[in-house]
Amino acid sequence: AQSVTQLGSHVSVSEGALVLLRCNYSSSVPPYLFWYVQYPNQGLQLLLKYTTGATLVKGINGFEAEFKKSETSFHLTKPSAHMSDAAEYFCAVSGLRNTDKLIFGTGTRLQVFP
Amino acid sequence: DTAVSQTPKYLVTQMGNDKSIKCEQNLGHDTMYWYKQDSKKFLKIMFSYNNKELIINETVPNRFSPKSPDKAHLNLHINSLELGDSAVYFCASSTNYGYTFGSGTRLTVV
């Protein structure tokens, strides 16, 4: 069975500050890991994903995440927050088959203050 | 060119009605899904189809019936709508390389 835990339902940062959104996963098989962003009243946009290979994954909009198997973590970071980063962020896990479902965490709302 | 498109974008209807949401993908993916996002933003899978065959049915009430006429389409029909069905419904498709989501259908039952 697979599951995802996102620590912190709300995270607030000042513009220009480091963004750190935490995600821990549980999986009995090697996982694929994803971060999605959802802006208000919009759909889900893929930020980045880890499948195999390099454990530090770079995504869009300056975000990156590091897969740490020993810690079962896949935290999302961005060195300098921008006002436009304010959104809901979802970590997700799936198995390796293309028919495997995507299991989401409960989401973290990021607020960015000027 | 929209990859995964859903219609309608918004749907407001009365309790007890029957409604359908349509989804089409032009990515050539074999697997398609329906997800429900509740008022607390929690996303949960409802169904998945692979090449028109149902492979996941996550304890969804029988009032919800997916239909896949071909691998590019996955529609969701809901009978006897209830207030608790109000949510945003997302269609998605996938390959080995990832998942692509539609923009969602906001269903409001009044």
Side-chain angles (χ1 to χ4, degrees):
Chain A
Q2 295 178 311
S3 65
V4 173
T5 302
Q6 289 185 244
L7 298 174
S9 58
H10 289 84
V11 170
S12 297
V13 300
S14 300
E15 193 172 21
L18 171 71
V19 175
L20 170 61
L21 304 182
R22 298 179 187 273
C23 173
N24 287 89
Y25 70 91
S26 172
S27 179
S28 56
V29 297
Y32 284 174
L33 294 159
F34 306 80
W35 276 99
Y36 283 86
V37 61
Q38 186 178 31
Y39 298 102
N41 298 314
Q42 294 195 25
L44 295 160
Q45 182 180 9
L46 180 66
L47 274 178
L48 48 81
K49 63 183 177 185
Y50 168 79
T51 53
T52 58
T55 56
L56 182 61
V57 181
K58 293 187 186 297
I60 61 172
N61 301 339
F63 284 93
E64 62 182 37
E66 187 170 10
F67 170 60
K68 291 188 177 180
K69 186 177 178 181
S70 60
E71 298 177 8
T72 60
S73 68
F74 191 57
H75 302 329
L76 182 70
T77 60
K78 181 173 180 177
S80 176
H82 192 273
M83 297 293 289
S84 61
D85 294 327
E88 192 87 24
Y89 291 80
F90 294 94
C91 183
V93 64
S94 78
L96 307 185
R97 300 173 303 178
N98 67 343
T99 54
D100 285 339
K101 61 186 177 185
L102 199 56
I103 297 171
F104 287 91
T106 50
T108 297
R109 172 153 292 180
L110 176 66
Q111 288 186 300
V112 183
F113 293 102
Chain B
D1 238 6
T2 304
V4 179
S5 60
Q6 297 178 226
T7 54
K9 190 170 174 64
Y10 299 96
L11 186 53
V12 181
T13 187
Q14 291 186 325
M15 282 175 54
N17 283 351
D18 303 339
K19 290 294 179 185
S20 291
I21 306 172
K22 295 187 176 182
C23 178
E24 176 181 6
Q25 54 98 1
N26 62 4
L27 298 167
H29 292 173
D30 289 335
T31 308
M32 295 185 71
Y33 309 81
W34 278 110
Y35 281 83
K36 179 180 179 180
Q37 185 174 44
D38 63 22
S39 58
K40 296 184 178 178
K41 302 287 187 183
F42 184 58
L43 282 151
K44 190 175 183 343
I45 189 164
M46 301 174 68
F47 301 102
S48 76
Y49 271 74
N50 180 257
N51 269 323
K52 304 192 296 177
E53 184 178 340
L54 178 68
I55 55 173
I56 294 176
N57 181 342
E58 290 277 325
T59 60
V60 178
N62 291 338
R63 298 183 296 103
F64 290 79
S65 53
K67 284 188 172 52
S68 182
D70 55 62
K71 77 172 193 177
H73 295 83
L74 180 61
N75 303 322
L76 183 65
H77 188 76
I78 315 170
N79 289 327
S80 303
L81 278 154
E82 300 177 357
L83 293 176
D85 298 331
S86 295
V88 180
Y89 293 85
F90 286 100
C91 178
S93 67
S94 72
T95 66
N96 286 334
Y97 302 104
Y99 302 78
T100 303
F101 283 82
S103 57
T105 296
R106 183 175 294 273
L107 171 65
T108 304
V109 182
V110 297

